[in-house]
Amino acid sequence: MSPSTDPSPPVVIFTDLDGCLLDGITYSWEPAREALAVLRARRIPLVLVSSKTRAELEAIRSQLQLDHPFVSENGGAVFSPDGYFSTSPEEAVRRDDYEVIELGAPYPALRQALRELEQAVGVRLRGFGDMSVEEIAERTGLTEADVHLARQREYDEPFLIEGPASLVTELQREARDRGLTVTHGGRFHHLMGDSDKGRACLHLIERYRRQWQGTAQGIMSVALGDSVNDLPMLRVVDHPVLIPRPDGSYDPGIQLSNLIRAKGIGPVGWDHAVLSLVERDQSGLAPASAPKKRRRR
């Protein structure tokens, strides 16, 4: 069924990975298999929005059989498969088989800025670029092969503060003075440019809207996240879903009037929330076809 004939608005789903679609410890998505199958069958776009690198996301997209756009490194860049959308923005660059919108700061600049911030606050800041493969594997639970993918960073530097947590506010202020951002994910703080998951999602929402401009009711957007790092993404969608943390609590830093609190941790809660949303009747959300791909010349 195409968007032009479907009486309900088409749906786009954005999702964080670790602690949401992927189990925070095992990185398994198996408990979400049913919802993933429904999305695939109904051609509802599932856009991965993560702190992970392009290399990591490509591997996960392959496992999940996804062919939709994705957002790497906390909104650093939006990657759309070549030909996925019928038009291309002027600022888009071609890289391999993708049309890329770069929103973040380049990684070498972030590495230099991390050293400047370290001097400014007087406490050691250790980024991925300072850690061995073995240490990252131990801290994250990733295999060494996956760590090599995680170290192929382009727009975001995960780091640890070897000092009191109270330094975060000072770090954020120093970063802002340099036109950068410090945020916190599941295990690490992240240093990045003036970009975030929300800006990247808004870019894609607008592109889906233009692609589906023949639909009378526009589109409906859904996002699923579990930490304050996901707040910019949750703010910009119609249906924000908060996944509980491993102890069953919800991140207190996320307070939205329309927030949906998932029942279940990690991919269990993700599966339940997605099925509840996409299987509502036509008075709620409804399935939609993916944008038609244009032929390559």
Side-chain angles (χ1 to χ4, degrees), residues 75-79 91-93 95 99-106 154-155 195 199 203:
V78 179
F79 291 82
E91 65 271 26
V93 295
R95 187 175 303 162
E99 172 202 278
V100 186
I101 303 295
E102 296 183 299
L103 302 173
E154 298 173 287
Y155 311 100
S195 57
R199 282 184 61 194
H203 168 82

Side-chain angles (χ1 to χ4, degrees), residues 72 77 114 122 149-150 158 192 209 214 219 231 281:
S72 71
L114 191 68
L149 300 180
M192 52 195 185
R209 182 176 292 118
I219 68 171
L231 182 56
D281 61 20

Side-chain angles (χ1 to χ4, degrees), residues 13-266:
I13 297 179
F14 302 93
T15 184
D16 182 40
L17 288 176
D18 295 350
C20 292
L21 175 54
L22 303 183
D23 184 273
I25 298 175
T26 67
Y27 298 104
S28 171
W29 47 268
E30 283 296 326
R33 180 178 290 276
E34 183 179 357
L36 288 168
V38 169
L39 298 184
R40 191 178 303 115
R42 301 185 184 183
R43 295 295 297 162
I44 296 175
L46 177 61
V47 178
L48 307 184
V49 185
S50 174
S51 62
K52 293 184 183 296
T53 64
R54 165 189 163 182
E56 290 177 284
L57 291 171
E58 286 177 328
I60 294 169
R61 289 173 73 247
S62 177
Q63 294 171 14
L64 298 177
Q65 302 176 47
L66 297 177
D67 58 0
H68 304 292
F70 61 94
V71 177
S72 71
E73 299 185 57
N74 287 315
V78 179
F79 291 82
S80 299
D82 182 47
Y84 186 89
F85 292 107
S86 58
T87 60
S88 298
E90 291 183 0
E91 65 271 26
V93 295
R94 178 74 181 275
R95 187 175 303 162
D96 298 327
D97 293 327
Y98 299 106
E99 172 202 278
V100 186
I101 303 295
E102 296 183 299
L103 302 173
Y107 185 68
L110 296 176
R111 288 289 299 162
Q112 176 61 35
L114 191 68
R115 299 283 75 90
E116 295 175 6
L117 292 175
E118 188 175 57
Q119 294 180 3
V121 300
V123 169
R124 191 180 184 198
L125 307 175
R126 298 185 62 242
F128 263 33
D130 304 307
M131 301 179 191
S132 67
V133 170
E134 293 75 18
E135 180 181 359
I136 296 174
E138 182 179 352
R139 290 186 178 277
T140 62
L142 294 171
T143 65
E144 290 194 5
D146 287 337
V147 170
H148 284 293
L149 300 180
R151 295 186 75 182
Q152 296 180 36
R153 312 206 69 79
E154 298 173 287
Y155 311 100
D156 171 288
E157 175 69 327
F159 68 95
L160 298 172
I161 303 173
E162 296 192 344
S166 57
L167 283 174
V168 173
T169 301
E170 183 180 355
L171 265 176
Q172 290 174 328
R173 183 175 64 252
E174 292 285 347
R176 283 196 300 271
D177 290 344
R178 292 166 173 79
L180 303 174
T181 304
V182 168
T183 187
H184 189 262
R187 294 180 174 89
F188 298 91
H189 289 84
H190 292 262
L191 177 64
M192 52 195 185
D194 185 23
S195 57
D196 58 44
K197 293 182 177 183
R199 282 184 61 194
C201 289
L202 281 175
H203 168 82
L204 283 172
I205 288 171
E206 180 58 28
R207 296 197 69 184
Y208 277 113
R209 182 176 292 118
R210 291 178 181 176
Q211 190 81 6
W212 287 329
Q213 60 186 348
T215 60
Q217 300 182 56
I219 68 171
M220 299 295 288
S221 54
V222 177
L224 302 98
D226 70 323
S227 70
V228 70
N229 190 36
D230 300 311
L231 182 56
M233 172 177 69
L234 297 174
R235 279 178 174 154
V236 302
V237 298
D238 300 308
H239 299 274
V241 179
L242 183 60
I243 305 293
R245 298 181 290 192
D247 63 1
S249 66
Y250 297 93
D251 192 319
I254 300 180
Q255 300 292 333
L256 299 171
S257 60
N258 60 338
L259 188 65
I260 300 169
R261 288 177 170 82
K263 297 176 174 60
I265 296 168

